[in-house]
Amino acid sequence: MNRSWVLPAAVFVLVAAVAHALTLSKLPSVIMTRAIDTMAERGVPLHQFVVAPRATPESQSVVRSSPDVAYSVCRFDLSRGPVLVQGAPWDSYGSLNVYDGQTDNVVGFDLGPETPVVTGTVIGLAKHKDHPVPEGMRFQVLSSPKGLALIRRVAPTDAYYAMAEEAAKGDICRPL
């Protein structure tokens, strides 16, 4: 029996396992860093929600966003302290989600009318637990200082989209 292939096969399996583990551990932060940088290049300011133009086949380069949804995005950086994120209520389905630097959805809230306790969702985000946070405010410790907050509001018509843009004026993403 020829065993000359055992060592090369073992090395191959070891290299493949290490490459797989590195890819799984590093790829999310690379993806999120690129997304945050792209938003900055497109003029999305830090700590401010920006409503994206209505999605059309012509406005999408790779993945087409839903044309029936109004999207608002906020880039944030927690390196100097907590950030307040608040989504204004919406009379149809709406959601507020916060993504950390590893692409993890760390916080999600419904902004729609069926949510009995929502009169505007308020959360504070903090990088470290030692950041001061106002009493009674929910806060989430993120794995990295940079991330994105995304608000989606169902807006199937031009009229609804205009109402979503108006509602978005009440969204907040700012340092505390």
Side-chain angles (χ1 to χ4, degrees):
M1 180 189 243
N2 185 354
R3 295 181 188 237
S4 62
W5 59 270
V6 173
L7 182 59
V11 169
F12 174 79
V13 168
L14 179 63
V15 169
V18 169
H20 178 73
L22 284 173
T23 299
L24 291 180
S25 68
K26 299 296 181 193
L27 189 60
S29 65
V30 169
I31 291 169
M32 186 56 88
T33 297
R34 182 66 190 129
I36 291 169
D37 291 347
T38 298
M39 302 248 177
E41 290 166 7
R42 292 182 179 175
V44 175
L46 197 59
H47 303 134
Q48 181 180 337
F49 275 106
V50 174
V51 180
R54 187 161 188 169
T56 65
E58 295 78 28
S59 68
Q60 301 298 299
S61 58
V62 180
V63 178
R64 184 168 174 226
S65 303
S66 172
D68 294 340
V69 176
Y71 298 92
S72 297
V73 67
C74 173
R75 298 184 308 123
F76 59 82
D77 185 346
L78 306 172
S79 59
R80 292 195 175 143
V83 172
L84 173 69
V85 176
Q86 178 178 4
W90 182 237
D91 69 352
S92 182
Y93 174 78
S95 66
L96 164 65
N97 294 89
V98 176
Y99 299 89
D100 69 7
Q102 299 296 316
T103 69
D104 292 330
N105 183 354
V106 295
V107 178
F109 291 103
D110 182 6
L111 301 177
E114 300 302 315
T115 307
V117 270
V118 172
T119 57
T121 300
V122 179
I123 60 171
L125 303 174
K127 168 67 170 102
H128 302 290
K129 288 184 179 181
D130 60 345
H131 283 300
V133 176
E135 189 174 321
M137 179 177 283
R138 175 183 174 170
F139 76 99
Q140 179 71 40
V141 178
L142 273 62
S143 64
S144 60
K146 293 183 180 180
L148 296 172
L150 178 66
I151 294 178
R152 297 173 190 93
R153 290 183 172 95
V154 172
T157 66
D158 289 339
Y160 259 98
Y161 196 85
M163 291 187 317
E165 287 179 310
E166 189 62 31
K169 293 177 182 175
D171 297 338
I172 297 170
C173 181
R174 64 172 170 77
L176 281 175

